Amino acid sequence: MRPRVFQHSGFFLLLLAVTCFILTPTLAHVPVFGGEGKSPETAIQIEDPAKSRVFYGQLAFGDIRYYSFNMEKGERIILGLIVPVEQGNQDFTPGLILIGPGFENGGQSPERLEVPEGYGAKVLSYNLPESPVYEGFTPSTFYSLSRLDMEAPESGTYYVAVSAVQGTGVAREEDSVQEENTQGRETPEKGNYGVVLGYRETFTLKEWITTPLSQIKVYRWEGQSLLLIFTPLALTLAAGFVAIYLKRETVAGLSLASISGTLAGIFFLGTGASYIFQMLLSLSKSSYSPEIFITFILILASTGLGVAAIALSLKDKRYGTGSIRKRLYFFALGIAGLLLWAGLLIGPFLAFEAALLPGNVKNNV
């Protein structure tokens, strides 16, 4: 007799996916990559500056990168600057400058900074924290150098400048201490940064579904190699293929739908292994954070999807014959995989394939 839990597992998985889809955007940022922005005239234009996003980029020492957005008087401006842990430890600490109407010049601006006529520049103070910030969704770590929360003094176009020019910033008492601690270190020629902008946590469906691809870009931004990023997934896939080889006589009797479902489960488990690896790697650089529970939820979700997909594929071969129930379960697994970022898009595709393939067609292994 089949386990009773499978009679309703698809509905529970779909409910879990929809719940996470509704709740998790309240804590996550949309990652954005690329852009030039070498002057205010060619600034990277940002639509809807209230939407919470992180604009990732790379800046050579001595350069300035510009972003622009439109604001109405009294609207809230949330702005911040982050850098990867490794580059923060290498003393890559760029400055952040907000340029706009109604500002009085404040702080030490670089001579190369271009300020439109009638505008003022507000240079944000920056400080390298003692401990990096742990982010639970990716998961990843970074240094938060500066943050600003204010209302726009006037309506108009505002510019954000990220400056890697030496001397950019606001004088602070601890500056002399920091300079003493960094003397003798070699300043990097270029470094990665992230501009945090906005406060309204919303995702388009495309942004949500493609988050696994953005996670890979974030890991690359941190300085990880592709080999390191994909090692947990590769090891999980290798273990799965070894298990399939050892049970090849059993696998030979499975349908193509069951094979697809099993592979989907392996990819889901690989995502869980990747989350565990990245969590441990991030925690080795930072202190404990409550956001670790977000990572635990993602680990449990990916692992649960993997176990469910493999169990549905391998247990009780007669189950689902002549009915659409098993197909609905695999459709639910595919949807849940997309919404919970499990399987690197490949897992959900294989789950959908398992739902569509005829259950009585055998493979040729």
Side-chain angles (χ1 to χ4, degrees), residues 127-313:
N127 185 30
L128 189 68
E130 293 183 2
S131 177
V133 177
Y134 177 86
E135 194 278 318
F137 283 93
T138 312
S140 62
T141 53
F142 53 82
Y143 282 118
S144 179
L145 299 183
S146 55
R147 180 175 172 81
L148 175 69
D149 186 348
M150 62 171 291
E151 293 183 354
E154 300 290 345
S155 299
T157 301
Y158 287 77
Y159 299 90
V160 175
V162 182
S163 170
V165 178
Q166 188 174 10
T168 304
V170 177
R172 296 164 290 119
E173 294 181 359
E174 62 268 25
D175 282 345
S176 58
V177 177
Q178 184 175 355
E179 289 178 2
E180 291 177 2
N181 293 335
T182 58
Q183 284 181 353
R185 295 185 185 178
E186 184 178 352
T187 303
E189 295 182 358
K190 59 183 179 180
N192 296 335
Y193 69 88
V195 174
V196 181
L197 181 67
Y199 58 89
R200 192 174 65 244
E201 313 287 356
T202 59
F203 283 76
T204 65
L205 183 61
K206 179 182 177 181
E207 288 169 342
W208 185 272
I209 291 177
T210 58
T211 291
L213 303 180
S214 298
Q215 288 174 325
I216 296 172
K217 292 182 179 180
V218 171
Y219 296 144
R220 294 288 290 158
W221 175 83
E222 286 185 335
Q224 296 184 40
S225 65
L226 288 175
L227 177 62
L228 184 64
I229 294 170
F230 287 106
T231 291
L233 176 61
L235 291 176
T236 305
L237 291 175
F241 290 138
V242 168
I244 290 175
Y245 176 77
L246 295 176
K247 298 291 185 179
R248 55 189 178 277
E249 294 182 359
T250 301
V251 173
L254 296 177
S255 67
L256 293 178
S258 294
I259 293 294
S260 294
T262 301
L263 293 176
I266 295 174
F267 270 94
F268 290 148
L269 292 176
T271 302
S274 296
Y275 276 123
I276 294 173
F277 173 77
Q278 292 294 340
M279 178 186 68
L280 295 177
L281 183 62
S282 297
L283 289 176
S284 69
K285 306 173 187 176
S286 64
S287 57
Y288 168 81
S289 168
E291 286 207 13
I292 191 175
F293 291 105
I294 297 174
T295 308
F296 277 133
I297 291 174
L298 294 173
I299 292 171
L300 292 174
S302 297
T303 304
L305 291 175
V307 172
I310 294 174
L312 284 171
S313 300

Side-chain angles (χ1 to χ4, degrees), residues 5-225:
V5 67
F6 289 121
Q7 294 182 3
H8 306 287
S9 59
F11 299 102
F12 283 120
L13 288 169
L14 184 58
L15 178 61
L16 174 62
V18 172
T19 301
C20 289
F21 183 64
I22 294 174
L23 295 180
T24 51
T26 62
L27 299 172
H29 301 278
V30 178
V32 182
F33 296 84
E36 292 295 331
K38 295 184 177 181
S39 68
E41 292 76 17
T42 61
I44 301 169
Q45 295 185 349
I46 302 173
E47 302 293 337
D48 190 9
K51 181 175 179 175
S52 180
R53 282 170 286 193
V54 180
F55 296 85
Y56 293 94
Q58 187 178 76
L59 199 61
F61 183 76
D63 285 348
I64 301 176
R65 182 74 43 79
Y66 295 86
Y67 300 82
S68 67
F69 54 90
N70 295 321
M71 298 291 289
E72 296 294 329
K73 182 178 179 179
E75 286 187 326
R76 187 182 181 190
I77 300 176
I78 296 289
L79 186 63
L81 184 66
I82 63 176
V83 295
V85 173
E86 285 75 10
Q87 307 209 323
N89 292 337
Q90 295 171 5
D91 302 324
F92 179 74
T93 52
L96 189 64
I97 306 165
L98 180 60
I99 305 169
F103 284 159
E104 294 183 359
N105 291 328
Q108 184 177 355
S109 300
E111 294 182 0
R112 290 183 50 203
L113 182 70
E114 299 181 39
V115 180
E117 186 176 353
Y119 277 44
K122 182 180 181 64
V123 182
L124 277 64
S125 61
Y126 65 90
N127 185 30
L128 189 68
E130 293 183 2
S131 177
V133 177
Y134 177 86
E135 194 278 318
F137 283 93
T138 312
S140 62
T141 53
F142 53 82
Y143 282 118
S144 179
L145 299 183
S146 55
R147 180 175 172 81
L148 175 69
D149 186 348
M150 62 171 291
E151 293 183 354
E154 300 290 345
S155 299
T157 301
Y158 287 77
Y159 299 90
V160 175
V162 182
S163 170
V165 178
Q166 188 174 10
T168 304
V170 177
R172 296 164 290 119
E173 294 181 359
E174 62 268 25
D175 282 345
S176 58
V177 177
Q178 184 175 355
E179 289 178 2
E180 291 177 2
N181 293 335
T182 58
Q183 284 181 353
R185 295 185 185 178
E186 184 178 352
T187 303
E189 295 182 358
K190 59 183 179 180
N192 296 335
Y193 69 88
V195 174
V196 181
L197 181 67
Y199 58 89
R200 192 174 65 244
E201 313 287 356
T202 59
F203 283 76
T204 65
L205 183 61
K206 179 182 177 181
E207 288 169 342
W208 185 272
I209 291 177
T210 58
T211 291
L213 303 180
S214 298
Q215 288 174 325
I216 296 172
K217 292 182 179 180
V218 171
Y219 296 144
R220 294 288 290 158
W221 175 83
E222 286 185 335
Q224 296 184 40
S225 65

Side-chain angles (χ1 to χ4, degrees), residues 255-265 268 308-310 312-314 319-320 323-334 346-361:
S255 67
L256 293 178
S258 294
I259 293 294
S260 294
T262 301
L263 293 176
F268 290 148
I310 294 174
L312 284 171
S313 300
L314 302 181
Y319 176 68
S323 73
I324 64 169
R325 184 177 297 174
K326 195 170 185 178
R327 297 181 186 275
L328 292 176
Y329 285 175
F330 273 110
F331 268 120
L333 286 170
I346 301 174
F349 172 81
L350 290 169
F352 291 138
E353 186 179 65
L356 294 173
L357 286 174
N360 58 351
V361 177

